[in-house]
Amino acid sequence: MVESFTFGINNCYILSDTKYAILIDTCPERYCNALFEAVKNKNITLLIMTHGHTDHIGCAKYISNQLHIPIAMHQKDEILIQQPSAQKMLAHTPLGLILCQKVKNQKPVPYFQPDIFLTHGQSLKEYGIKARIFTLSGHTEGSMGIWTPNKEFFVGDAMMNIGASLKPRIYQNKMEMERSFYNIYQSDATAIYMGHGKPIFRQNTLIKCTKMQYKQYKGCISMNASHQHCEIEKNKK
């Protein structure tokens, strides 16, 4: 079961099974109390950060302390906890350039030490949830998603449903961002949940229209928990 909560322009998600739940991302620090009130009775066993930007980890320490749960993220984004601009952000749109400047000027969130460093293919079964981690680098070095047996895909900011394009407006590595974005598109996900904007469902025309952006590519994706396989190359004319 999926529950979503929106604070400002940030989405947080609870993914639950019959008994336990995990919280995916938090929100800017000013919403800590509101987020806690929304999730305090959900029997959450783990807090997962899809990446280390401050608008996603701002309430991590507070929620972890209040619920007495561990915080998990990718090790490559740990540096962003204390140095939000440690990974230089790039952009190719006017909005992206504005967001790059905002990231550059962000102040560190209340410091926390991640309890768990997640890796690609890692199962979340020990936390009571049938899901696993999927690497989605590019937006940040340590961006990642969560994939469920029901083919629900929580992708953080590796995809954004804001405006005409679904691509991230800012990225640390453009090639990796494109690769991860294409992986999401090529997957057989029935629902894609993003950090910003409404979710996309397979029948939605928005997900279909992304094919036009990638006519020049061919690729494949494996959701096998043991490895990630993706090959993207330009079609030969």
Side-chain angles (χ1 to χ4, degrees):
M1 178 174 145
V2 178
E3 294 179 80
S4 64
F5 305 89
T6 301
F7 300 94
I9 62 170
N10 281 76
N11 298 325
C12 313
Y13 299 98
I14 288 181
L15 176 61
S16 59
D17 210 327
T18 54
K19 187 176 181 181
Y20 300 106
I22 60 173
L23 175 60
I24 302 171
D25 283 335
T26 65
C27 49
E29 191 178 353
R30 62 184 177 276
Y31 297 111
C32 282
N33 288 331
L35 175 59
F36 173 67
E37 289 299 318
V39 305
K40 64 182 180 181
N41 297 318
K42 302 295 184 179
N43 202 20
I44 296 170
T45 59
L46 181 67
L47 172 54
I48 294 181
M49 307 285 93
T50 60
H51 63 290
H53 281 160
T54 60
D55 59 329
H56 290 258
I57 68 172
C59 301
K61 181 177 182 178
Y62 181 83
I63 295 297
S64 174
N65 288 343
Q66 291 293 319
L67 299 180
H68 308 290
I69 57 173
I71 302 172
M73 67 189 302
H74 197 288
Q75 189 170 14
K76 288 184 177 180
D77 274 11
E78 181 184 14
I79 191 173
L80 299 178
I81 299 170
Q82 289 187 295
Q83 302 177 47
S85 61
Q87 296 179 22
K88 183 179 179 181
M89 291 289 107
L90 306 171
H92 60 276
T93 66
L95 175 58
L97 293 173
I98 293 172
L99 294 176
C100 282
Q101 193 62 34
K102 285 189 175 182
V103 171
K104 185 178 180 179
N105 295 329
Q106 283 177 339
K107 296 180 180 180
V109 303
Y111 179 73
F112 62 89
Q113 176 66 46
D115 302 286
I116 302 163
F117 289 124
L118 298 170
T119 57
H120 177 75
Q122 186 169 341
S123 172
L124 300 177
K125 187 176 180 180
E126 64 180 290
Y127 303 100
I129 299 296
K130 295 178 181 178
R132 62 180 182 268
I133 300 302
F134 196 86
T135 299
L136 293 171
S137 60
H139 177 66
T140 65
E141 290 186 33
S143 288
M144 59 187 184
I146 297 93
W147 177 266
T148 78
N150 293 328
K151 299 183 179 181
E152 297 150 329
F153 208 174
F154 299 84
V155 302
D157 284 1
M159 183 179 277
M160 298 179 179
N161 194 358
I162 301 174
S165 174
L166 297 172
K167 289 184 183 179
R169 299 302 188 273
I170 59 174
Y171 42 83
Q172 182 270 334
N173 184 303
K174 190 173 189 296
M175 182 177 292
E176 288 298 315
M177 179 274 286
E178 295 276 2
R179 191 191 311 275
S180 293
F181 183 87
Y182 190 65
N183 280 351
I184 298 167
Y185 165 68
Q186 281 291 92
S187 75
D188 57 348
T190 57
I192 299 171
Y193 296 94
M194 293 160 279
H196 305 284
K198 294 181 179 180
I200 289 176
F201 301 96
R202 178 51 61 180
Q203 67 273 22
N204 194 302
T205 55
L206 281 175
I207 192 65
K208 294 176 182 177
C209 78
T210 60
K211 187 173 183 179
M212 298 300 296
Q213 302 177 35
Y214 286 91
K215 289 191 298 183
Q216 72 273 35
Y217 291 104
K218 61 181 180 180
C220 56
I221 185 171
S222 171
M223 287 293 179
N224 188 289
S226 64
H227 71 286
Q228 178 181 15
H229 174 65
C230 176
E231 295 177 10
I232 302 177
E233 59 181 19
K234 290 187 177 181
N235 286 332
K236 296 179 180 179
K237 292 185 178 180

